[in-house]
């Protein structure tokens, strides 16, 4: 089943009076349950693409369908609600709130969408156990290692059961061991819970967990790599 459809997406930036295409008519589909990697040199349009899908920036032309719904021309009001519930984000720099505990950071999306206190606690405990951060839930981000912070951020990105996880260089600030732990957890979520993940990465080790990789250059796809293991599933 097709979860995401990117159709003829174009993003033109005005750079010192010169129109520059960051995305030059890119099209692809993401199937439910895929772990899709996006790779490409710096400046090839990866962040622009991810930010368009995240509805953080508007494409110049083209459409983005999530579950057949065109999200590229959503009004600003419907966006905030929509983002938190249907997409989870994971960033290179963790983006945790330093004045909240790990538990409060993970609960943040839940508190925004009002679920009962006991429901929330159970859900937080379960996902924290999965990401092996259940023993540090009452600590603050500054007390945690990079790997722990990213696993807290991963727990937060999944707490609302979003249909799509967007990850921008999630291993970029991690040592190789923490990166491996994170990737194994994400892969587990992908395989056992059918979470669809779209990940931009420069990290070949991280990319090796993907079921398919799109290589982007100058705002278009120039190569695609599909892993055999995925084919039997589709
Ligand atoms: P990547 O994530 O692959 O490094 P980006 O999407 O950040 O690529 O950038 C693609 C191109 O668009 C680059 O040429 C970059 O300089 C340009 N670009 C990105 N954001 C902006 C912006 N806000 N204003 C102008 N140009 C931009
Ligand atoms: P990355 O390579 O990690 O995607 P970049 O250095 O390309 O990061 O971009 C960092 C930020 O700067 C992004 O938000 C991007 O939109 C913005 N940006 C990139 N190039 C330009 C540019 N030429 N003019 C204005 N903003 C830009």
């Amino acid at each position: 089943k097709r979860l995401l459809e990117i159709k003829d997406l174009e993003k033109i930036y005005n750079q010192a009076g010169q129109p520059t295409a960051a995305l030059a008519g890119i099209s692809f589909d993401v199937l439910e349950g895929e772990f899709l990697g996006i790779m490409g040199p710096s400046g090839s349009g990866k962040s622009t693409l991810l930010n368009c899908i995240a509805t953080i920036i508007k494409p110049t032309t083209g459409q983005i369908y999530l579950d057949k719904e065109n999200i590229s021309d959503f009004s600003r009001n419907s966006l905030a609600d929509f983002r938190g519930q249907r997409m989870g984000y994971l960033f290179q720099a963790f983006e945790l709130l330093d004045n909240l505990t790990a538990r409060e950071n993970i609960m943040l999306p839940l508190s925004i969408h009002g679920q009962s206190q006991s429901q929330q606690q159970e859900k937080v405990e379960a996902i924290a156990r999965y990401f092996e951060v259940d023993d540090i839930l009452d600590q603050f981000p500054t007390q945690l290692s990079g790997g722990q912070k990213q696993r807290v951020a991963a727990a937060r990105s999944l707490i609302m059961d979003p249909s799509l996880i967007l990850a921008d260089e999630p291993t970029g600030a991690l040592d190789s061991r923490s990166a491996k732990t994170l990737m194994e957890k994400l892969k587990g979520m992908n395989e056992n819970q059918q979470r669809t993940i779209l990940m931009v990465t420069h990290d070949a080790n991280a990319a090796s967990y993907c079921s398919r990789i799109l290589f982007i250059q100058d705002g278009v796809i120039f190569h695609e790599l599909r892993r055999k293991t995925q084919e039997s599933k589709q």
Side-chain angles (χ1 to χ4, degrees):
K1 190 173 158 250
R2 188 161 65 187
L3 178 66
L4 189 69
E5 181 182 5
I6 309 292
K7 227 174 154 218
D8 304 322
L9 210 63
E10 220 179 15
K11 179 67 186 181
I12 315 284
Y13 285 116
N14 198 341
Q15 286 187 355
Q18 283 278 65
T20 310
L23 296 176
I26 191 169
S27 302
F28 61 93
D29 292 344
V30 183
L31 300 181
E32 216 162 65
E34 267 198 297
F35 194 158
L36 183 68
I38 308 275
M39 300 190 84
S42 190
S44 56
K46 304 182 299 295
S47 296
T48 302
L49 174 63
L50 209 68
N51 288 337
C52 284
I53 297 169
T55 66
I56 291 165
I57 60 176
K58 262 192 186 211
T60 309
T61 62
Q63 293 88 39
I64 302 168
Y65 298 92
L66 181 66
D67 265 337
K68 301 195 174 67
E69 194 170 8
N70 189 348
I71 61 169
S72 42
D73 54 22
F74 263 26
S75 75
R76 278 208 169 267
N77 282 344
S78 52
L79 277 180
D81 213 40
F82 174 82
R83 267 187 212 143
Q85 299 200 39
R86 306 227 350 233
M87 296 189 219
Y89 304 90
L90 205 48
F91 307 94
Q92 175 170 354
F94 323 126
E95 315 260 333
L96 296 176
L97 299 180
D98 281 340
N99 58 339
L100 298 182
T101 63
R103 181 193 307 277
E104 289 164 343
N105 268 284
I106 296 172
M107 285 174 66
L108 207 56
L110 287 173
S111 359
I112 293 168
H113 295 95
Q115 294 191 12
S116 86
Q117 199 68 16
S118 59
Q119 266 182 325
Q120 292 189 6
Q121 292 299 348
E122 267 170 45
K123 204 161 182 187
V124 172
E125 302 280 341
I127 198 150
R129 266 195 305 278
Y130 178 77
F131 282 102
E132 293 174 36
V133 291
D134 49 320
D135 54 334
I136 50 95
L137 279 176
D138 295 315
Q139 296 186 36
F140 290 89
T142 49
Q143 301 171 282
L144 305 178
S145 71
Q148 288 173 322
K149 278 192 266 196
Q150 195 60 308
R151 294 203 302 282
V152 168
R156 180 183 58 186
S157 77
L158 283 153
I159 198 81
M160 293 297 292
D161 297 320
S163 46
L164 181 65
I165 309 293
L166 299 173
D168 194 353
E169 300 274 6
T171 59
L174 302 181
D175 61 78
S176 61
R177 232 184 85 220
S178 310
K180 186 163 185 271
T181 308
L182 177 77
M183 291 313 301
E184 279 168 0
K185 296 290 176 192
L186 289 178
K187 185 69 181 167
M189 278 283 170
N190 168 248
E191 285 188 334
N192 306 326
Q193 297 204 18
Q194 286 288 296
R195 298 278 175 219
T196 309
I197 306 177
L198 197 158
M199 174 178 73
V200 165
T201 191
H202 277 109
D203 176 354
N205 285 327
S208 71
Y209 289 84
C210 295
S211 51
R212 184 159 65 106
I213 302 170
L214 301 178
F215 294 86
I216 293 187
Q217 196 155 34
D218 300 328
V220 294
I221 296 166
F222 78 95
H223 188 61
E224 180 174 342
L225 205 147
R226 197 180 282 272
R227 289 171 71 87
K228 286 203 178 69
T229 48
Q230 188 70 12
E231 278 166 14
S232 54
K233 276 202 214 161
Q234 285 168 17

